[in-house]
Amino acid sequence: MRGTRAAVQNVLRVLLLLNALMASRFSLSRSVHPILKRPTRFLTHSPHFAPTPPLKSRPCPLWSASFSFCLASSSSSSFSPTSLPVFSPSHSPRRYASFSPPPSPPSAMAAAVAAAGDVENPLLKNFEFPPFDSVEADHVRPGVRALLKQLEDDLDELERTVEPTWSKLVEPLEKIVDKLSVVWGMVNHLKAVKDTAELRAAIEEVQPEKVKFQLRLGQSKPIYNAFKAIQESPEWQHLSDARKRIVEGQIKEAVLGGVALDDEKREEFNKVEQELERLSQKFGENVLDATKKFERLVTDKKEIEGLPPTALGLAAQTAVSKVLSAVNQGHPGATSEDGPWIITLDGPSFMSVMQHCRNRGLREEVYRAYITRASSGDLDNTPIIDQILKLRLEKARLLNYNNYAEVSMATKMATVEKAQELLEKLRSASWDAAVKDLEELKYFAKSQGAAEADDLRHWDISFWAERLREAKYDINEEELRPYFSLPKVMNGLFNLAKKLFDINIEAADGQAPVWNSDVRFYCIKDSSGSPTAYFYFDPYSRPSEKRGGAWMDEVVGRSRVLSRNGTSPRLPVAHMVCNQTPPVGDKPSLMTFREVETVFHEFGHALQHMLTKVDEGLVAGIRGIEWDAVELPSQFMENWCYHRETLMGIAKHYETGENLPEEVFLKLVAARTYRAGTLSLRQLKFATTDLELHLNYVPGGSASIYDVDQRVSKRTQIIPPLPEDRFLCGGYAAGYYSYKWAEVLSADAFSAFEDAGLDDNKAVEETGHKFRETILALGGGKAPLEVFVEFRGREPSPEALLRHNGLLAATASA
């Protein structure tokens, strides 16, 4: 009892410290140049060091034996259950209706197209929605080069005519930034969801030219000096919050981008940036290729005993579609019942084996393959990681910082010291609970007669944790799947959005081109029926061409300057990408509860992008929000998965329409904090390793990156990693701690609804309206702490997070 009280007190102290930090420290926005630092919101899970940090997504703490790349730098008329076209395996978006975007005057882009002699290149057309269906690898080289030529001319003109006024500085700058952001974003998105060797080669060839332009733009002294002149002018005090954030952010980003360096150092800096961009691309390709490379053919069903029907169906479906070799073109006769089956390292397949396969030898084989992906041969990422860390340190020193962690924190709310203090106090508070988790698991395994009970290894943890969860809470994830069919989950999510934010989400398939027949397109309308935003949703795993994980990113942002009709702002467009189990046979996609949480999470990010009311494009929606705060709306939306009315509106058996039994709902709520200590330590291990690699690690020194990982693991993992473990967290560039920081904000934001009364529909609607008008509407146009105080009426409190994590008695009903 005394230990528990001490642990709670430790957590209270650290979160109160966190509260004080947020009350006292502001920092400038992350880059407002989406082409310089594109703010991707992801949940991409990949076990490797991801070289380019991202901004999006939930930490996915549930995968106890697998955690994939979460951030990388690198989604509502009123709905009834029958008003949304069915999301079924037979659904295929109708062909595009005759569609032409609103007319716009002849543009400089048209001149660039003509000059390039490629009037048919879809990348260069004046489109409202990107022509995802018609862009091919052959379009990338000529299209990007023609675009860059035009943007060079535009930048020359801006530098020649620039004045410290909005119309002569910010508006032409936004147009330049947006053109490249949209086109480059389109080809990079296709690489993530429809990867080919030809597309990779084309992107790799023009990428240095793109980076060269980015660097010139970011290091433009005429533009930098004009922004400083605005900040120092008498007009500064009269600017809106959003405009001040743009000016401050541009000045900060220009300095971090090397604008103040002398010619020799700037040339060196630019070489570093070019090489970091190249290595980032290569790193991601290696992970994808290594994931695709592993295929385990199973012909004896006894080998995969324990796998649920959904997993067997997916494995058989994979066997049908996989090309195993030049002479063996798959197994067209494979069935769920009789096989053969193919196990892969893609998320749904890997996790099914880890959680359910009784064959310990197969679990070990698959686990070892997973943690050693991209760590040998032509796909070895180890030298790439070392080089990335070396270049980041070199970049930091050129900018007069001691290490890259300090560079990272320059655009966040925290400091290196406060982040470390937070992580250590949470680690010490989680340790005893994690030890207890493991002892409980060993005891349970022994009670079931498991020979490995006294020596549980990494490939045993997920399997026995799932068995214990089933026994303890009488919940079987696979048995829950029939209650979570994708059509019903999306209907329920859209109904919740209607209730909270007074928006209507309508299917708009055919209004915009898509990159795969499974992709859905939606329009968001306000209460008057006017469109306010659009989004794509790509739900299913496609391991042969699609990166793993889940993420949200912008397609285009809201913008007054880029209005298509000259009067109303351009509407935002987003995409949400997941990797859940696809439909099998005539069944719709049946989701695990964790996949439901993931969809809610990504939709939270998308809502912040789509419901913004900021018209200044450089800080509208998700642009310009500090990493520390970026997870607020996404983590906030996950809380509704435990809200009775919301969950019961979603959880209906796909065949019978039967509601999820009440006792099962109560067990789901009770299981919310299951193995909380273990899952907390796992997050803390990644965050601590991330900071350590960017703070104290010396590339090329006596210690390797894996030595650092092992050293951190001794303090953050009850079972140390295997010596050959190459499952290195990274890609956050000293930013992974941000999950815990943002959790305080998101839990406290949800507690506003608890305080108002979750069963009081009127109070929920009123609180939802306030959330929309602050957290969602203001985006990057205002400092996140100010936005939070405007919503909550006070500064953040840690109480809600502690209560939601089971560290305090609940004070409000779910």
Side-chain angles (χ1 to χ4, degrees), residues 1 17 73 85 128-129 135 205 210 214 368 404 469 558 670 696 784:
M1 183 70 182
L17 165 67
S73 178
E128 180 173 10
F129 301 119
V135 174
E205 186 174 321
K210 187 267 299 186
Q214 290 177 193
R368 288 182 182 274
Y404 194 82
R469 194 167 71 90
R558 182 180 175 93
N696 297 318

Side-chain angles (χ1 to χ4, degrees), residues 360 363 441-456 460 463-464:
R360 193 184 187 210
R363 294 203 308 267
L441 209 58
K442 288 180 178 178
Y443 180 83
F444 176 77
K446 185 174 291 187
S447 74
Q448 301 301 301
E452 66 268 25
D454 291 326
D455 184 31
L456 292 181
D460 301 319
F463 177 82
W464 286 110

Side-chain angles (χ1 to χ4, degrees), residues 133-152:
D133 63 326
S134 55
V135 174
E136 302 289 345
D138 289 344
H139 296 129
V140 173
R141 294 177 182 87
V144 171
R145 283 172 175 151
L147 173 64
L148 289 173
K149 174 63 174 68
Q150 180 57 48
L151 295 181
E152 289 278 1

Side-chain angles (χ1 to χ4, degrees), residues 295 322-330:
E295 295 174 4
K322 279 282 185 182
V323 177
L324 299 181
S325 68
V327 294
N328 186 353
Q329 302 295 309

Side-chain angles (χ1 to χ4, degrees), residues 244-264:
K244 285 182 179 178
R245 292 269 288 179
I246 288 174
V247 174
E248 292 169 340
Q250 286 288 342
I251 292 172
K252 168 70 79 172
E253 198 63 47
V255 172
L256 292 176
V259 73
L261 299 176
D262 60 38
D263 290 346
E264 183 178 343

Side-chain angles (χ1 to χ4, degrees), residues 296-303 331 338-341:
R296 175 63 152 81
L297 179 65
V298 178
T299 56
D300 184 352
K301 196 171 185 179
K302 290 181 180 178
E303 269 201 274
H331 300 267
D338 300 321
W341 306 268

